Amino acid sequence: MQTNTHPKMAELPQIKEAEDILRACVHCGFCTATCPTYQHFGDERDGPRGRIYLIKQLLETNEVSENTQTHLDRCLTCRSCETTCPSGVKYGRLVDIGRGIVEQRVPRKPLDRLTRLALRKVLPNKSLFGFFVGMGQLVKPLLKGTALGDKIPPKKVASPWPAIANNGKGHARHMLALAGCAQPVTTPNTNAATARVLDKLGITLVEAPEAGCCGAVDYHLAAHDDGLNAMRKNIDAWWPAIEAGAEAIVMTASGCGVMVKEYGELLEHDANYAAKAKKVSELTKDLSEVLVGENLEALNVADKTPTAFHCPCTLQHGQQINGVVEEILTRAGVPLTKTKDKHLCCGSAGTYSVLQSKTSQQLLDNKLGALMIDDPVQIVTANVGCQMHLESKASVPVKHWIELLDQ
């Protein structure tokens, strides 16, 4: 797709990258067939091809309207279109660039600005987020049956991490884990279960206390500088362990995983962090990528409950990891039930469930219907946001899949 960029736009950073992505698009329209928001709204501008044209128009005219902002806001950034695209268009990267420009050009209404600011300040701050979630859990009984009450996750407590083997030195194999921001508060057993499973396989898992939000909340809400700073902070927190020989950085939330795997690309022009960011991205592995190569017989999994697996968009489209969790669970003896429309988003999509609540709820209803067609007794997933979102309406328990291996 040829782009004649306006001289004023050409002066902005990342425009060359945006032009290259736009030129890769051949306008075939295959992406519309797998785009959840195009199927929902039936509007070309709410599909990848239409949004690409809106960004192209912005680059060529140096003009943008609230209408463009609306259609970019409606995008889930699920990246299902990237899986479908025969030309390899990096749509997710393009929409981040486009949103960043639009955010600077189109003023938002006061309530919208306040909501986005609150999300950026509260979600990445584990202490602050934990305080508000705790307050919500106290009043949850009073909100039963309301939309707000459904969004408040039930209180959960993590079981203990394994004792460090070898007199506190750990196993010969060491890996890092990211605690993150939402996960320690809402699903604290995920990393604890991961640590116990890896311990049985002769791997010591540790968290770097100084590491925090992966940067996705800020970056995907067009606060790029704040997002990049969060990435730098994590790199600094992990670097001593990396220099000490950490084998991998294990991601138990696929949303964080896809973000950290892109650190190298996002910080490639930062002279102080480019090489370190590249190394961090190379070391980053989704938990399923670690376990699929291990001998799972030592786990002796006893859970034979019929289970539906929901594959998050950040795993199947963002990281292009498909069928691996299912292979691990099948090898462990967990019976998986049939599902449909696996490629479609559940509607969580980070902050989307808050900012685009109506659309998010419709996508959630669709996803739960697709997951329940074979009457599973439980649902498992690989991302904290999806887990919370599904749990808010599911009629069966929703867990992280690693909890099934923690017997």
Side-chain angles (χ1 to χ4, degrees), residues 54-80:
L54 289 172
I55 295 171
K56 178 178 185 290
Q57 185 179 50
L58 165 61
L59 266 58
E60 291 186 331
T61 65
N62 193 35
E63 297 177 358
V64 65
S65 68
E66 188 176 331
N67 191 45
T68 295
Q69 187 178 64
T70 296
H71 293 295
L72 293 184
D73 284 350
R74 286 179 179 174
C75 175
L76 292 145
T77 324
C78 69
R79 295 166 67 170
S80 178

Side-chain angles (χ1 to χ4, degrees), residues 102-337:
V102 172
E103 198 70 18
Q104 300 298 318
R105 303 286 186 92
V106 181
R108 291 188 179 274
K109 295 176 181 177
L111 182 59
D112 193 11
R113 285 204 309 272
L114 180 61
T115 302
R116 287 168 176 266
L117 180 63
L119 288 169
R120 292 203 304 107
K121 296 304 179 184
V122 173
L123 277 178
N125 187 319
K126 182 170 62 177
S127 298
L128 198 55
F129 180 60
F131 170 78
F132 282 112
V133 169
M135 293 295 293
Q137 289 167 341
L138 286 175
V139 301
K140 185 178 174 71
L142 303 177
L143 301 173
K144 189 174 181 180
T146 67
L148 179 59
D150 290 340
K151 286 183 179 294
I152 299 171
K155 188 173 183 178
K156 298 176 182 177
V157 179
S159 46
W161 281 50
I164 301 296
N166 194 19
N167 294 322
K169 296 180 181 179
H171 297 289
R173 300 174 66 187
H174 281 75
M175 295 184 182
L176 285 165
L178 175 64
C181 43
Q183 187 163 279
V185 175
T186 58
T187 59
N189 198 50
T190 298
N191 274 9
T194 301
R196 289 191 295 271
V197 169
L198 291 180
D199 182 63
K200 292 177 183 177
L201 299 174
I203 302 169
T204 296
L205 187 70
V206 295
E207 292 177 345
E210 300 84 3
C213 178
C214 66
V217 174
D218 284 319
Y219 202 84
H220 292 317
L221 286 177
H224 291 175
D225 288 343
D226 287 344
L228 293 174
N229 284 335
M231 298 173 200
R232 295 183 183 102
K233 180 181 177 182
N234 287 340
I235 292 171
D236 289 339
W238 289 326
W239 200 249
I242 292 173
E243 289 187 313
E247 183 179 330
I249 305 172
V250 183
M251 292 292 150
T252 55
S254 60
C256 298
V258 71
M259 188 85 258
V260 179
K261 284 184 176 183
E262 293 177 354
Y263 277 16
E265 181 180 355
L266 295 172
L267 290 167
E268 64 179 342
H269 300 299
D270 186 323
N272 295 321
Y273 282 88
K276 290 182 177 180
K278 184 173 183 291
K279 180 66 173 178
V280 164
S281 292
E282 290 171 349
L283 286 175
T284 299
K285 296 183 181 296
D286 182 74
L287 176 58
S288 64
E289 293 179 287
V290 174
L291 289 186
V292 73
E294 300 295 326
N295 181 3
L296 304 181
E297 292 181 3
L299 300 181
N300 295 318
V301 176
D303 194 328
K304 306 302 180 184
T305 305
T307 302
F309 174 61
H310 163 64
C311 190
C313 299
T314 44
L315 189 64
Q316 62 175 314
H317 304 309
Q319 298 186 60
Q320 293 290 305
I321 298 174
N322 287 282
V324 179
V325 175
E326 294 95 323
E327 177 187 339
I328 292 169
L329 293 177
T330 299
R331 282 170 52 193
V334 177
L336 296 178
T337 59

